[in-house]
């Protein structure tokens, strides 16, 4: 059909023209929506923070990723307190908890209790850390604390995990611990092991293992789903490892590395580990675009 013929046809059929135009616009909008969804990461629930002297002045714009919850790994570590009034030696500089409480990414806080940087020492001294945690949990803070976290991580090769129920019974609720599977024993096996000893009123943060290349996001999701079937959806949340191995340690993951993790865990409550050390302003910008 010639250009003139096209104009005559459209002039004789204005209703059809409007329908075609609407369809074209709808298609364009749908295509644009798909592009945005393809490149924008799904919203996260919150960020985790492994408190140390280097990040005591925690600051960021993680709310751009949807974060409204802060998981504080510990309020005292290696017998050094990051909160006042504990009776333990205090860190050289304490976090400004009052300012943190006003941050949009810390509207709700799950407050970690007594922990250690070294996992072997933490596991060897869980009774001592549980007693320390009971005292820390009683301290007032300006934070909107919606739960507590006992920061001794559990994995299937650790027989001492079965001591945890007796030690956790006197800690406040809601209470959380974290779990991981460095041996990749399998999703169902992990879920069965956790369910065999975990108190029914304690939830788990599952460390996805993607940051250390222990598994892919797809396999990590299988673990989360197996845990959810055993424990219930309200007791399972996912720690999204926002780092990758680098010479001498770890580096922040790139946006392209993180997006598949976050996309795989849609429908789960997710926490980036950890905000101050690895989720930089540049990474937030790339994920939020």
């Amino acid at each position: 059909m010639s250009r003139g013929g096209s104009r005559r046809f459209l002039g004789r059929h204005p209703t059809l023209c409007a329908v075609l135009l609407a369809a074209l616009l709808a298609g364009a909008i749908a295509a644009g929506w798909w592009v945005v969804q393809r490149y924008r990461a799904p919203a996260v629930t919150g960020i985790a923070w492994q408190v140390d002297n280097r990040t005591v002045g925690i600051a960021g714009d993680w709310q751009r990723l949807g974060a409204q919850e802060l998981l504080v790994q510990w309020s005292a570590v290696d017998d050094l307190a990051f909160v006042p009034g504990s009776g333990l030696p205090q860190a050289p500089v304490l976090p400004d908890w009052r300012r943190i409480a006003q941050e949009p990414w810390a509207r709700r806080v799950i407050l970690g209790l007594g922990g250690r940087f070294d996992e072997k020492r933490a596991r060897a001294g869980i009774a001592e850390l549980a007693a320390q945690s009971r005292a820390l949990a009683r301290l007032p803070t300006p934070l909107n604390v919606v739960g507590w976290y006992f920061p001794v991580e559990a994995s299937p090769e650790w027989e001492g995990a079965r001591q945890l129920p007796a030690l956790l019974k006197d800690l406040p609720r809601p209470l959380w611990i974290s779990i991981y599977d460095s041996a990749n024993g399998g999703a169902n096996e992990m879920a069965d092991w956790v369910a065999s000893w975990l108190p029914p009123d304690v939830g788990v943060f599952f460390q996805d293992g993607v940051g250390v290349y222990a598994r892919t996001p797809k396999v990590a999701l299988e673990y989360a789903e197996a845990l959810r079937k055993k424990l219930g959806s309200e007791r399972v949340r996912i720690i999204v490892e926002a780092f990758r191995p680098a010479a001498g340690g770890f580096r922040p993951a790139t946006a392209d590395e993180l997006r598949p993790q976050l996309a795989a865990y849609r429908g789960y409550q997710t926490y980036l580990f950890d905000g101050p050390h690895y989720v930089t302003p540049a990474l937030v910008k790339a994920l939020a675009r």
Side-chain angles (χ1 to χ4, degrees):
M1 185 182 291
S2 68
R3 292 181 183 177
S6 298
R7 284 194 294 270
R8 287 192 296 274
F9 177 83
L10 294 174
R12 292 170 187 164
H13 302 278
T15 302
L16 179 59
C17 177
V19 170
L20 290 172
L21 181 59
L24 288 170
L25 286 172
I29 291 169
W33 180 90
W34 185 89
V35 169
V36 168
Q37 297 305 309
R38 168 66 178 81
Y39 291 103
R40 179 180 293 166
V44 302
T45 305
I47 61 160
W49 175 26
Q50 190 177 71
V51 189
D52 59 14
N53 290 325
R54 184 162 70 90
T55 60
V56 71
I58 180 174
D61 54 355
W62 303 293
Q63 73 279 1
R64 294 184 61 193
L65 303 178
Q68 297 187 28
E69 196 158 292
L70 175 65
L71 168 60
V72 180
Q73 179 150 337
W74 43 52
S75 44
V77 60
D78 291 342
D79 302 318
L80 187 70
F82 285 92
V83 292
S86 69
L88 296 169
Q90 286 190 180
V93 178
L94 295 182
D96 184 349
W97 294 111
R98 195 165 300 280
R99 189 265 301 170
I100 291 168
Q102 302 303 313
E103 295 285 359
W105 38 263
R107 293 178 180 173
R108 301 179 301 275
V109 175
I110 296 177
L111 186 60
L113 300 169
R116 301 206 181 281
F117 278 107
D118 183 82
E119 183 177 84
K120 288 183 179 179
R121 287 188 62 213
R123 290 178 171 182
I126 51 174
E128 176 191 353
L129 290 175
Q132 186 181 97
S133 293
R134 287 194 293 271
L136 288 166
R138 290 193 291 266
L139 296 177
T141 76
L143 304 168
N144 177 27
V145 176
V146 298
W148 287 266
Y149 170 68
F150 185 62
V152 179
E153 300 168 356
S155 55
E157 84 285 351
W158 179 39
E159 287 298 324
R162 297 190 179 276
Q163 302 174 45
L164 284 172
L167 297 171
L168 299 178
K169 65 182 177 63
D170 294 327
L171 293 180
R173 268 54 172 174
L175 182 66
W176 300 85
I177 63 167
S178 66
I179 59 172
Y180 68 95
D181 184 13
S182 58
N184 276 330
N188 292 326
E189 291 78 3
M190 176 78 164
D192 288 342
W193 173 76
V194 173
S196 71
W197 58 265
L198 186 72
D201 59 351
V202 176
V204 296
F205 285 97
F206 170 63
Q207 301 175 31
D208 71 353
V210 177
V212 292
Y213 300 136
R215 62 188 60 88
T216 64
K218 180 178 180 295
V219 174
L221 178 62
E222 293 172 3
Y223 273 76
E225 290 178 338
L227 287 165
R228 204 180 232 187
K229 287 177 183 177
K230 281 287 184 179
L231 306 179
S233 59
E234 296 303 313
R235 295 172 65 198
V236 179
R237 301 184 182 184
I238 301 177
I239 296 291
V240 182
E241 293 177 351
F243 55 82
R244 295 294 185 272
F250 296 93
R251 61 167 175 82
T254 66
D256 286 342
E257 289 170 330
L258 266 180
R259 284 193 192 99
Q261 284 171 267
L262 294 172
Y265 312 147
R266 286 183 190 274
Y268 283 84
Q269 295 192 59
T270 54
Y271 298 73
L272 293 171
F273 186 91
D274 86 339
H277 290 95
Y278 300 114
V279 189
T280 64
L283 179 55
V284 169
K285 182 178 180 180
L287 288 170
R289 71 179 183 189

